[in-house]
Amino acid sequence: MAEPAFTLAVGADRFAATARVASAEEASRLWPRAVGAMPSYVAYRKATDREIPLLVVTPAARRPSGCAAPFG
């Protein structure tokens, strides 16, 4: 993955996070949840021969509001 660090927006909340490709074991566990959220993925997977990667997103350490530097 070229740039695993990014900012994620969920509704009005924005936070730093990193992403990585799920292992085969994780993907087999996570795929049903992905399909539950987006049923069209089933047809998408059937329409291609390539592996569709699932990403695991991990929020970076949260900082108090207004704090630009890491704390701890």
Side-chain angles (χ1 to χ4, degrees):
M1 182 173 306
E3 184 58 50
F6 59 98
T7 299
L8 183 64
V10 178
D13 192 21
R14 298 176 80 80
F15 55 91
T18 57
R20 64 176 176 77
V21 176
S23 69
E25 180 182 316
E26 290 170 316
S28 67
R29 181 176 50 82
L30 294 171
W31 184 254
R33 292 182 68 185
V35 169
M38 194 69 149
S40 63
Y41 285 168
V42 172
Y44 181 46
R45 184 181 240 183
K46 287 180 182 177
T48 185
D49 291 331
R50 72 179 187 87
E51 182 66 26
I52 300 170
L54 292 178
L55 299 179
V56 176
V57 174
T58 303
R62 298 275 181 145
R63 291 184 272 226
S65 181
C67 181
F71 64 96

